[in-house]
Every structure is written in C-alpha cells, then in structure tokens.
Amino acid sequence: MANNPPVQRWFMEGGALPPLLGLLADPDVVVRTKAVLALSALVRHYGPGLEAFRLAGGLTKLLALLGCSGVDAAVEAAEAASADAGSAGGQQLGTAAAAAGGSQAGGAAVAAAEDEEAADERWVQQRSQHRRLTRKVLALVHYMLLKHPADRLAAAEYGIVSQLQSCLDSAPDSDMRQAALSVLVELLADPGAWQWVQQHAGQQGLEQQLLRLQRQHAELGAEDREAEAEEGQLVGQCIAALQAGQPPAGGSTGAGDGAAGMEDHVDLDPYQDGGERAEKAVSLRQPQQRQQQQQQQ
C-alpha cells in the first residue's frame, strides 16, 4: 500500500482510516504498532490521505502514544508485576518450607524461580515492543512535520520537546536517538516552534543534554563514530539552532511550506485518465476475471 496512490486511494475510499485511528487506543502494544505502520503506509506520499489523517486529529493521537522514556505505564506495570511475582515466589517458598519440609521447599523454589524468569522475559519483550512503537511513532511524526510545517508549533505546544528529551536520555541505540533528533530538527527549523522552545522548554537543559551527546559521540572509536555519523550531524544541527541568536529565516528543512511540502506526493490524474502511467494502476479484479479477459483478447 505504501507509495502506491491507487491502492492508498482505494483504502481511503473504503473507510480504512477511522478503524485504524481507533486501533491506536488498543491496549495491546503490538496492535498499536501495526496500526501506526498501516497509517504510515496510508499517508506517505499521498496528500489526500495525509490531510485526512491530520484533520482527524492524527498528530495529537500520535503524540499521545509517545512513551519516549522507553518504559511507559504499561511497561512499568509489567515491571511491577515481575517484582510482585518474585516477592510472591519468595513468600511461597517460605510457607512451603515451614509446612512441608525440605523436599517440598526445593520444589517450590524451582517453581518460583521459573515464574520469576518467565515474568522477566515478558517484561523484556514488552519493553522491546514499546520501544519499537516509539520509533515508528517518531518516524511518522517527523514525516507529518516535514510535510506540513504549520503543525510544528502545535507539536511544541503539546509538549513533544520534553518527550524527545526523555527519549534521548533513555534510548538504547542510535536509531532511537536519530528518530527523536530528526523531529527536534524539524521543530527548530520553524520560527514559531523555535521561539516556543527558547521560552518554554527549558532551553538550557536541552542544550546541555545535546552537548553531552556531542561529547559522547566524539569519544567513540572511529568505526562507531562513522556508524553513528548521522546522529552526530543531527546533534550538531540542533545545537546550532538552539545557540542561534534569532529564529530561523525559513520554516522548513527542505520540504517547503504549504503546497511545496507536498512536492513528492504523487498526482493521481495520470492513473485516473488513462495516461501513460495508467498501466501501473493496481487491478482489483479477481484472478478468474483476469483469466477470462485474457482469453477474450
């Protein structure tokens, strides 16, 4: 579906957007992640899909999903459950030892250890799933801000900067930091969002955080520094923007404002009017119908 305008339009006209938006509130993190992936495929390089997503409150829904600390409420609940399981296991062990003697206590100890190990594995899995969701959300937010610069100030006002800072603090890998930094670069490229960050978002704390990341990057070995070169460049861009004495002159990092931000969106007219690209349009006919048509030809 991604980058395929006829298919994207078919899904939009078929009413795919509302149920996908509803799935963003699903209690299962895997379902939420898949919903974000589907929405991303629906709107990327397809202007009508992106605009419909925006008008349906897509940006605020994505920002509500951001658990950039890497341990959101669900993961913290899993961690608490793991701790409770360990505590309960210890209590069960003590009770069993007092009531049934050494052999039964040994069996209880094994069972408690297995329960605790299983709880730890579930917690690690949930943590990984939530981090994956965060990366996907950040990627889609970045795309939205890139294509519609007018939303950058709103994102700053909704509190995304503090979420990005939390993400930078706890990110386990460079990919996560790059995703957060890419969003921050878009914010700081907008005059309104830049001013908001300077006045409301603890600019000094953010700058110190970025300078610390820059020092850590400089201390990496040559091979690791090369592998994380993009992250280093993004950190440098953010620091330069924060240290600038005045807002940026332009409102974009390259996408442009308004219609210019949609310059890579594909026009559907060639597909609709039988132009030279019409042959690339997806066919929704069943295999049997296609076979009959081929036989007739």
Side-chain angles (χ1 to χ4, degrees):
M1 179 169 64
N3 304 325
N4 192 331
V7 176
Q8 288 167 308
R9 177 176 179 175
W10 185 75
F11 272 97
M12 285 294 299
E13 292 180 347
L17 183 60
L20 287 176
L21 291 173
L23 290 176
L24 293 178
D26 192 276
D28 190 333
V29 63
V30 176
V31 173
R32 298 200 301 273
T33 302
K34 290 183 177 180
V36 171
L37 289 172
L39 286 166
S40 180
L42 189 62
V43 306
R44 284 183 179 273
H45 308 298
Y46 180 53
L50 179 59
E51 189 63 16
F53 182 51
R54 288 185 59 255
L55 294 177
L59 181 61
T60 57
K61 293 180 185 297
L62 290 177
L63 296 182
L65 284 176
L66 278 179
C68 291
S69 64
V71 186
D72 63 8
V75 179
E76 290 175 354
E79 184 177 16
S82 176
D84 291 343
S87 176
Q91 293 176 357
Q92 292 174 0
L93 174 59
T95 303
S103 60
Q104 293 183 359
V110 172
E114 290 176 350
D115 289 343
E116 186 174 357
E117 183 178 354
D120 288 342
E121 289 178 356
R122 287 194 299 271
W123 179 78
V124 170
Q125 183 179 20
Q126 286 184 325
R127 187 183 181 92
S128 175
Q129 290 170 345
H130 279 77
R131 284 172 171 167
R132 182 169 185 263
L133 172 61
T134 297
R135 284 195 299 269
K136 301 303 180 184
V137 171
L138 287 171
L140 185 49
V141 169
H142 172 256
Y143 182 79
M144 293 184 71
L145 299 184
L146 180 68
K147 294 301 171 187
H148 203 276
D151 287 340
R152 294 171 182 170
L153 177 57
E157 292 174 341
Y158 288 145
I160 192 175
V161 177
S162 61
Q163 293 175 315
L164 296 176
Q165 288 183 263
S166 296
C167 188
L168 292 174
D169 269 339
S170 62
D173 52 48
S174 182
D175 288 343
M176 178 78 83
R177 291 191 294 273
Q178 285 184 38
L181 289 166
S182 295
V183 175
L184 187 56
V185 165
E186 290 301 322
L187 292 176
L188 296 175
D190 179 81
W194 181 91
Q195 290 181 335
W196 195 96
V197 171
Q198 296 283 351
Q199 297 172 4
H200 299 90
Q203 181 266 346
Q204 291 184 345
L206 177 58
E207 184 177 336
Q208 291 302 316
Q209 185 180 28
L210 292 168
L211 289 171
R212 184 168 62 253
L213 283 174
Q214 190 176 56
R215 288 193 298 270
Q216 292 173 355
H217 189 268
E219 292 171 358
L220 293 174
E223 185 174 343
D224 291 337
R225 189 164 58 251
E226 182 178 357
E228 299 181 9
E230 183 176 352
E231 178 188 341
Q233 293 173 359
L234 291 170
V235 170
Q237 285 181 257
C238 291
I239 293 174
L242 286 172
Q243 293 179 343
Q246 56 186 3
S252 173
T253 58
D257 292 328
M262 299 295 182
E263 61 186 4
D264 68 337
H265 286 261
V266 180
D267 183 6
L268 283 176
D269 289 342
Y271 294 95
Q272 298 168 343
D273 299 337
E276 61 181 1
R277 295 167 64 186
E279 60 185 18
K280 298 180 182 179
V282 65
S283 173
L284 301 178
R285 294 189 298 272
Q286 296 298 323
Q288 183 177 3
Q289 292 175 318
R290 290 198 298 269
Q291 185 177 6
Q292 292 175 352
Q293 184 180 25
Q294 292 173 355
Q295 290 175 351
Q296 293 174 357
Q297 292 175 350

